[in-house]
Amino acid sequence: MSGTFYLTTPIYYVNALPHLGHAYTTIAADTMARYHRLAGEDVWLLTGTDEHGDRIAQIAAAAGVDPQAYADRISAEFRQTWDRLGLRYDDYIRTTEPRHTQVVQAILQKLWDAGEIYLGKYGGHYCFGCERFYTEKEIVDGKCPDHLTVLTWIEEENYFFKMSKYQGWLIDYVNQHPDFIRPERYRNEILGFLRDPLQDLSISRPRTRLEWGIPLPFDDKYVTYVWFDALINYVSALGGPGDPRFEKFWPVVQHLIGKDILKQHAVYWPCMLKAAGIPLYQHLNVHAYWTVEGHKMSKSLGNVIEPLAFAAEYGSVGNDAFRYFVLREMTFGLDSDFAKGAFVTRLNADLANDLGNLVSRATTLIANFAVGAGAPGPTTPDEATVVRAAEEARRLLGEAMGEFAFQRGLAAIWEFVGAANRYVDATQPWALARKAAERPRLDRVLLTLADSVRYLGIVLDPFVPDAAARIRAAVGPTSTPRLAEATVGALDRLPAVQKLSGLFPRVGDSKSERETRNAMAAMEKVTGADEPPRIKIDEFSRVELRVAEVVAAEAVPKSKKLLKLTVSLGSEQRTIVAGIAQHYAPADLVGKKVVVVANLEPATLMGVPSQGMVLAGSTDGDGALAVLTLDRDLPPGARVR
Ligand code: MSP
């Protein structure tokens, strides 16, 4: 696919620091831009800051600084946040830049000359927080419905844009272009709004009341209303009509916004463009709102999620984990809740388990068992299933991304991850490795696994770019990833592969859970790895196995799996925590002689220190488990070899 793609985010007000809401929009935009780049398109992503208006003037005055200095500081904070989150943009516009004010003034002059603007009188209930007048219908007990503060009656002469005359035209346009505003619920909302008469739009503020804005080119006693100024950023950043960059990217422009600024983008903006003789945008993509742990995010509730601090809690995978979560969790267009528990669950289940384990299993198997040279055996229905899953995931991903449905795109990729994990389970390469005659079959399996991981290193690039880059560093491709190369089944030679484990480490919410998991994982590595490497006898002899007699046994509080055993090794007694509570009652074990690893590093499991490990056998399928006991009697402490 080739073509051009131009996407914009809202330009953020510099009256607050970046939070989860701003971050979501910018992450979504960055993901979409990366996807189109991956598809080989010429992409331009614009973001920036909205710096004029009452709100900024007021907050700067309250801070005792000049509004420009205030805007400089917060604008830089936004920029830095995006940079540190690893978000890329091609341009960062600020509405206080001359390149912007020039284009705004040129458009105003054009509309004035064309008779699209007139001087009129206006009186109304004004909210300084919202920077707008409220109609009688909207007011709640004389107060602003948003800020719940008392409104001020203001009467003044202002300039008006003749927006009302575009009402019929706009209704027709929206009706004739079903995906102009999407998802559909927002299109319906706008059509509903347009059923009432559309008013002309006041586009100026007298300088006696507000100095902080762009002066009207035809009357410098006024500054431009901040929304009229702000919307034009999408055009001014490209240099305005006539600029080669504008001519290249404007025809394909798409906007991405939150539902809070729907009316300005779906009503004011198309009317402004129409009046100025500039073609309309292609699509307005509207997402909904995040709540935090079920509540509206607000400073007063103290629940504002600060994206950098949040991501930093998860170390080097924090940026990827944060973006994965917001993209996967929010159904585009619907409200969603940001809950830490859900975040940790997704991180552990989707990223650490499903994806991380697949990459680790596949790369470890290849690194351990690949010998090269021989031709791989023929493909079987198992490979065909994986190939089909890869094709299907790419098809669904393409469809989803065309509609900004990030959650569906990710679900499709994870269907493939599941298929690849099932392929490992079904083909059991570690078992094939034990039989020389199975070498060609093993080579086929390893090749398919390398291909599958390579595929993921490409399709995951827009969503988890850091992890995708690590996957590509381990498996390839080494050149710039391209969506066209995201196929499984065409690779005919095993590439050089590096082991890649711990792509996303699991996290727990408490220290004891984390310790338990680490200790269990370490034990599983020793005991239950499904692809055990060959070891030499001297390596085995480093494991000190001894007979131990269980002296006492009890359940570990709050744990379903763990038993705390006191065992005698003859000369000493030890505490050993064993994950066998679902198979043995404590009383069954007392008096039994078992085999333990006596020189295991001590570990703490659910707060109980454990000095060794009890050996047990188990099956994968039905989960049966049996502790190793002795066939004949031996004294506690006897060495097992
Ligand atoms: N300056 C205007 C936009 C002008 S565009 C020409 C503005 N700025 S803002 O700083 O308030 O940013 C609003 C945008 O931030 C929303 O449209 C949305 O993209 C994002 N969000 C702010 N809070 C949000 C949530 N709680 N949830 C999701 N996104 C939200 O409005």
Side-chain angles (χ1 to χ4, degrees):
M1 201 202 302
S2 68
T4 42
F5 183 71
Y6 174 39
L7 183 64
T8 69
T9 75
I11 47 171
Y12 304 109
Y13 283 131
V14 289
N15 65 345
L17 291 172
H19 59 55
L20 166 66
H22 310 121
Y24 172 72
T25 315
T26 317
I27 287 171
D30 170 85
T31 304
M32 192 50 83
R34 284 174 194 262
Y35 179 79
H36 282 262
R37 257 186 224 113
L38 198 63
E41 291 178 52
D42 201 346
V43 173
W44 198 257
L45 175 58
L46 173 69
T47 189
T49 43
D50 187 356
E51 307 186 359
H52 289 128
D54 282 300
R55 277 199 232 193
I56 317 294
Q58 280 171 11
I59 201 160
V65 293
D66 138 83
Q68 186 66 61
Y70 195 85
D72 287 349
R73 185 164 73 75
I74 309 288
S75 182
E77 287 265 4
F78 271 92
R79 212 180 162 130
Q80 217 174 61
T81 301
W82 306 151
D83 293 346
R84 293 209 183 133
L85 283 175
L87 309 181
R88 292 202 223 127
Y89 40 85
D90 298 285
D91 194 2
Y92 191 90
I93 184 125
R94 301 182 54 191
T95 54
T96 51
E97 288 177 87
R99 63 167 172 156
H100 174 70
T101 56
Q102 276 158 17
V103 174
V104 171
Q105 288 187 326
I107 289 179
L108 280 165
Q109 187 66 51
K110 185 170 178 186
L111 296 184
W112 174 251
D113 294 344
E116 296 280 346
I117 291 174
Y118 64 94
L119 185 65
K121 204 169 189 87
Y122 188 79
H125 303 279
Y126 190 78
C127 171
F128 282 92
C130 304
E131 294 174 14
R132 59 166 278 207
F133 289 98
Y134 276 95
T135 61
E136 297 291 346
K137 235 165 99 186
E138 292 170 309
I139 297 173
V140 183
D141 299 334
K143 292 182 181 161
C144 164
D146 217 21
H147 290 84
L148 303 176
T149 49
V150 179
L151 296 164
T152 314
W153 178 261
I154 291 186
E155 223 171 74
E156 60 190 25
E157 272 202 320
N158 262 315
Y159 286 92
F160 287 81
F161 164 49
K162 293 181 182 166
M163 193 161 73
S164 59
K165 75 178 202 194
Y166 292 104
Q167 178 162 15
W169 162 83
L170 184 57
I171 293 171
D172 288 348
Y173 191 89
V174 173
N175 276 324
Q176 284 158 17
H177 298 83
D179 57 2
F180 181 59
I181 304 165
R182 58 188 188 182
E184 202 182 353
R185 57 194 300 122
Y186 298 108
R187 171 174 182 263
N188 293 337
E189 196 176 314
I190 286 302
L191 287 171
F193 171 80
L194 288 171
R195 263 182 229 124
D196 286 336
L198 187 60
Q199 310 293 323
D200 287 345
L201 183 67
S202 159
I203 56 140
S204 65
R205 297 291 178 262
R207 275 178 118 154
T208 48
R209 179 153 68 74
L210 175 72
E211 270 288 338
W212 186 235
I214 300 176
L216 293 185
F218 44 85
D219 186 346
D220 68 1
K221 292 191 295 306
Y222 290 87
V223 296
T224 313
Y225 168 49
V226 66
W227 268 105
F228 200 91
D229 156 358
L231 287 160
I232 292 175
N233 89 87
Y234 304 133
V235 166
S236 68
L238 295 179
D243 190 294
R245 184 173 295 150
F246 180 89
E247 302 306 327
K248 175 173 176 186
F249 287 112
W250 187 258
V252 295
V253 58
Q254 296 200 36
H255 302 305
L256 174 62
I257 61 163
K259 66 178 183 180
D260 53 328
I261 52 179
L262 173 63
K263 191 166 70 181
Q264 291 86 343
H265 283 81
V267 180
Y268 302 0
W269 186 223
C271 294
M272 286 166 66
L273 288 167
K274 174 78 177 156
I278 299 173
L280 303 198
Y281 52 80
Q282 296 296 300
H283 304 287
L284 180 65
N285 304 285
V286 188
H287 67 74
Y289 252 45
W290 285 100
T291 53
V292 173
E293 310 283 351
H295 298 280
K296 187 174 170 197
M297 188 165 52
S298 83
K299 262 197 200 153
S300 52
L301 284 178
N303 65 351
V304 174
I305 300 274
E306 205 272 275
L308 277 181
F310 187 90
E313 278 180 45
Y314 299 89
S316 63
V317 301
N319 283 351
D320 270 359
F322 182 67
R323 62 191 279 153
Y324 174 81
F325 178 72
V326 293
L327 294 168
R328 180 70 186 82
E329 195 73 6
M330 178 171 261
T331 297
F332 195 83
L334 300 180
D335 287 340
S336 221
D337 188 47
F338 191 99
K340 188 142 178 180
F343 176 88
V344 170
T345 303
R346 282 229 178 266
L347 174 49
N348 284 341
D350 301 4
L351 295 174
N353 264 7
D354 297 348
L355 175 64
N357 278 353
L358 172 66
V359 172
S360 157
R361 291 167 98 188
T363 56
T364 305
L365 285 163
I366 297 167
N368 285 355
F369 297 134
V371 288
T379 56
T380 72
D382 282 338
E383 282 76 45
T385 305
V386 176
V387 170
R388 258 202 319 276
E391 282 166 1
E392 180 68 356
R394 233 187 87 186
R395 190 180 65 75
L396 292 172
L397 175 65
E399 270 178 26
M401 295 304 271
E403 298 165 24
F404 282 64
F406 303 96
Q407 75 290 347
R408 268 174 30 221
L410 281 170
I413 297 176
W414 255 254
E415 281 297 318
F416 173 76
V417 171
N421 268 320
R422 287 191 295 278
Y423 176 75
V424 180
D425 297 337
T427 54
Q428 304 213 349
W430 53 92
L432 298 173
R434 291 194 200 107
K435 298 180 201 133
E438 297 284 13
R439 186 73 234 180
R441 177 71 196 133
L442 176 62
D443 285 340
R444 170 59 61 191
V445 172
L446 299 182
L447 187 62
T448 308
L449 287 178
D451 213 4
S452 301
V453 176
R454 199 188 115 279
Y455 169 93
L456 285 170
I458 301 173
V459 295
L460 285 173
D461 187 68
F463 302 96
V464 282
D466 295 343
R470 289 184 66 197
I471 292 176
R472 293 196 303 274
V475 185
T478 48
S479 51
T480 310
R482 298 191 318 129
L483 196 58
E485 287 170 6
T487 56
V488 175
L491 197 70
D492 52 6
R493 274 265 221 76
L494 202 57
V497 169
Q498 310 284 318
K499 265 189 208 179
L500 177 53
S501 50
L503 189 62
F504 286 96
R506 285 183 63 95
V507 296
D509 340 22
S510 75
K511 194 162 167 256
S512 80
E513 275 174 278
R514 212 162 32 237
E515 281 172 357
T516 307
R517 237 189 340 264
N518 290 344
M520 297 277 245
M523 284 189 205
E524 267 164 29
K525 250 193 218 152
V526 178
T527 57
D530 29 32
E531 51 262 20
R534 299 274 154 87
I535 57 166
K536 301 237 160 57
I537 185 84
D538 59 318
E539 284 178 81
F540 173 71
S541 67
R542 291 173 56 207
V543 183
E544 185 193 343
L545 298 173
R546 290 193 185 273
V547 172
E549 181 169 357
V550 181
V551 183
E554 60 182 284
V556 171
K558 289 201 209 132
S559 170
K560 273 194 263 166
K561 286 193 180 164
L562 301 179
L563 288 184
K564 176 181 162 189
L565 309 178
T566 308
V567 300
S568 164
L569 290 181
S571 56
E572 59 167 320
Q573 279 206 356
R574 291 193 187 185
T575 303
I576 294 184
V577 178
I580 55 175
Q582 282 156 322
H583 307 272
Y584 288 90
D588 298 342
L589 292 161
V590 179
K592 276 216 165 78
K593 287 200 174 142
V594 298
V595 179
V596 301
V597 181
N599 64 338
L600 194 67
E601 288 247 9
T604 304
L605 293 106
M606 293 294 281
V608 184
S610 176
Q611 308 151 294
M613 185 174 84
V614 176
L615 294 190
S618 63
T619 60
D620 288 338
D622 57 4
L625 179 142
V627 165
L628 261 68
T629 54
L630 299 186
D631 191 26
R632 288 196 187 130
D633 197 33
L634 280 173
R639 184 84 201 250
V640 178
R641 338 187 125 83

